[in-house]
């Protein structure tokens, strides 16, 4: 897959799905599946490099996946291109018809568009599927509109999934995603306390714009150097160690004893075990973590 960051591109004869794609959940998967089953056209996912609603409504909105994580997901689907388009004031102020002509027609070379029923674009978010339908004849593209996917009586949406993650309901969030919510990045040095009590851990620094579940301990699977390790992951500030710790993601990988600093790891959250706690001693902490390990090992 070719990854394009920016607006300097020109494609031809494409089938394109457009949207925010935060979380790349089961609803998004239906859009992508429609693209993938279209033969004879170059397969493209078009999205924006930041969360559009965060800019439009000046909210500090956290994302489910970083740009890099979203790129890896798109690559795994087998798409030809992923485009992370700049979401600037000029883009926000672009008239909807101009967006169709300059970006969808001229830059993307779209012969088929795949969008959800709630897709909006252009200044004031006035562009919608009705306008796309109106313009398809003169610009020569086919339009496929995919209905929202329903699970447990509600639409699957990025907002719903963000709320579930924020509540610590990782299990249901994972069901809606169709995969495990995860954090990925380079393994960095921590305070090395885990080594002193027989629980060597890896640390990943969380991206400031990515959503964090509630502080606590979670059952997790970590993909590292081609292997998968069951473990437990603590999100929080480790109050037993110090009162001045920054927020971190620390994982004890069962069975890993080698130096992996600087390696890339993907930590997948499976389920919530307990809230973060302050213990009276490292010995008390170790006793509790051993109990957490037992719970993580029986999780399917």
């Amino acid at each position: 897959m070719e990854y394009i960051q920016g607006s300097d591109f020109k494609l031809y004869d494409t089938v394109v799905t457009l949207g925010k794609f935060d979380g790349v959940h089961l609803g998004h998967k239906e859009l992508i599946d429609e693209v993938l089953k279209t033969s004879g056209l170059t397969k493209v996912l078009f999205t924006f490099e930041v969360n559009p609603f965060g800019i439009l409504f000046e909210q500090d909105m956290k994302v489910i996946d970083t740009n890099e994580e979203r790129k890896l997901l798109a690559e795994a689907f087998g798409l030809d291109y992923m485009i992370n388009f700049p979401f600037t004031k000029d883009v926000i102020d672009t008239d909807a018809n101009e967006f169709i002509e300059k970006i969808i027609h001229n830059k993307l070379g779209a012969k088929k568009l795949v969008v959800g029923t709630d897709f909006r674009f252009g200044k004031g978010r006035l562009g919608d599927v009705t306008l796309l339908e109106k313009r398809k004849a003169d610009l020569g593209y086919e339009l496929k509109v995919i209905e929202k996917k329903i699970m447990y009586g509600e639409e699957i949406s990025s907002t719903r999934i963000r709320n579930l993650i924020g509540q610590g309901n990782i299990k249901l969030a994972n069901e809606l995603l169709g995969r495990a919510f995860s954090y990925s990045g380079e393994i960095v040095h921590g305070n090395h306390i885990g080594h002193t009590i027989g629980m060597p851990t890896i640390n990943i620094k969380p991206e400031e714009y990515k959503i964090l579940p509630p502080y606590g301990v979670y059952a997790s699977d970590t993909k590292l150097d081609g292997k998968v390790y069951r473990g437990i992951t603590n999100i929080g500030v480790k109050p037993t160690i110090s009162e001045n710790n920054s927020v971190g993601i620390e994982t004890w990988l069962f069975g890993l004893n080698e130096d992996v600093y600087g390696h890339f790891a993907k930590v997948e959250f499976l389920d919530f075990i307990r809230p973060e706690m302050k213990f009276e001693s490292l010995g008390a902490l170790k006793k509790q973590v051993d109990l957490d390990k037992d719970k993580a090992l029986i999780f399917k």
Side-chain angles (χ1 to χ4, degrees), residues 44-64:
V44 181
L45 185 149
F46 178 97
T47 189
F48 296 99
E49 62 184 349
V50 294
N51 189 317
F53 283 93
I55 291 178
L56 286 172
F57 303 115
E58 298 181 349
Q59 297 175 351
D60 183 22
M61 186 176 287
K62 305 296 186 181
V63 299
I64 299 168

Side-chain angles (χ1 to χ4, degrees), residues 46-251:
F46 178 97
T47 189
F48 296 99
E49 62 184 349
V50 294
N51 189 317
F53 283 93
I55 291 178
L56 286 172
F57 303 115
E58 298 181 349
Q59 297 175 351
D60 183 22
M61 186 176 287
K62 305 296 186 181
V63 299
I64 299 168
D65 294 310
T66 65
N67 285 331
E68 181 62 26
E69 288 168 342
R70 195 168 48 168
K71 172 188 170 184
L72 293 174
L73 287 167
E75 202 164 36
F77 286 126
L79 295 158
D80 296 314
Y81 287 88
M82 175 180 173
I83 297 170
N84 246 4
F85 202 78
F87 201 74
T88 63
K89 189 175 185 306
D90 286 342
V91 174
I92 293 171
D93 290 338
T94 300
D95 175 79
N97 271 297
E98 187 180 353
F99 184 92
I100 295 173
E101 293 165 6
K102 289 189 173 181
I103 297 176
I104 292 176
H105 182 65
N106 292 342
K107 279 189 165 294
L108 289 169
K111 297 298 183 183
K112 179 178 177 179
L113 297 180
V114 182
V115 298
T117 53
D118 61 345
F119 179 59
R120 297 289 186 276
F121 59 95
K123 187 173 182 179
R125 301 184 71 235
L126 295 177
D128 57 11
V129 295
T130 301
L131 181 59
L132 290 173
E133 181 72 31
K134 182 180 177 182
R135 296 301 309 274
K136 70 179 187 179
D138 62 303
L139 293 178
Y141 59 78
E142 176 190 349
L143 177 64
K144 178 72 172 180
V145 180
I146 305 292
E147 295 291 329
K148 283 277 193 176
K149 188 173 179 65
I150 306 295
M151 184 175 282
Y152 302 124
E154 294 182 49
E155 293 180 350
I156 296 178
S157 69
S158 300
T159 298
R160 183 182 175 193
I161 293 169
R162 276 194 296 270
N163 289 338
L164 289 169
I165 293 170
Q167 295 161 9
N169 193 344
I170 298 298
K171 201 168 183 180
L172 181 53
N174 288 349
E175 282 192 65
L176 304 187
L177 285 167
R179 60 186 174 86
F181 171 70
S182 64
Y183 263 83
S184 56
E186 182 181 332
I187 296 171
V188 298
H189 286 275
N191 49 30
H192 301 281
I193 296 297
H195 287 268
T196 66
I197 56 176
M199 302 179 304
T201 59
I202 64 168
N203 291 268
I204 296 175
K205 185 176 180 181
E207 298 279 3
E208 62 179 354
Y209 59 92
K210 176 164 172 141
I211 192 169
L212 276 173
Y215 291 176
V217 176
Y218 296 81
S220 61
D221 279 339
T222 298
K223 296 179 178 178
L224 171 65
D225 296 339
K227 298 179 181 179
V228 179
Y229 297 88
R230 177 57 55 89
I232 53 174
T233 297
N234 184 81
I235 292 185
V237 293
K238 294 177 283 191
T240 304
I241 308 304
S242 171
E243 295 182 357
N244 301 308
N245 290 317
S246 58
V247 178
I249 300 171
E250 184 176 24
T251 304

Side-chain angles (χ1 to χ4, degrees), residues 277-296:
M277 302 161 61
K278 183 175 181 178
F279 295 91
E280 60 185 21
S281 66
L282 289 178
L285 169 62
K286 184 180 187 309
K287 185 176 180 180
Q288 178 60 55
V289 171
D290 283 334
L291 295 175
D292 298 336
K293 176 183 179 180
D294 291 340
K295 290 181 180 179

Side-chain angles (χ1 to χ4, degrees), residues 252-271:
W252 178 20
L253 276 57
F254 308 150
L256 178 72
N257 297 300
E258 57 208 74
D259 183 349
V260 290
Y261 292 116
H263 295 217
F264 181 88
K266 180 179 182 181
V267 180
E268 297 182 338
F269 291 77
L270 305 178
D271 204 1

Side-chain angles (χ1 to χ4, degrees), residues 13-52:
D13 298 329
T14 63
V15 50
V16 187
T17 184
L18 305 94
K20 298 187 297 294
F21 291 101
D22 184 24
V24 194
H25 52 63
L26 288 178
H28 294 142
K29 181 67 165 51
E30 293 199 346
L31 301 175
I32 293 169
D33 284 346
E34 179 66 28
V35 169
L36 293 173
K37 74 180 186 182
T38 303
S39 60
L41 296 174
T42 300
K43 298 165 177 57
V44 181
L45 185 149
F46 178 97
T47 189
F48 296 99
E49 62 184 349
V50 294
N51 189 317

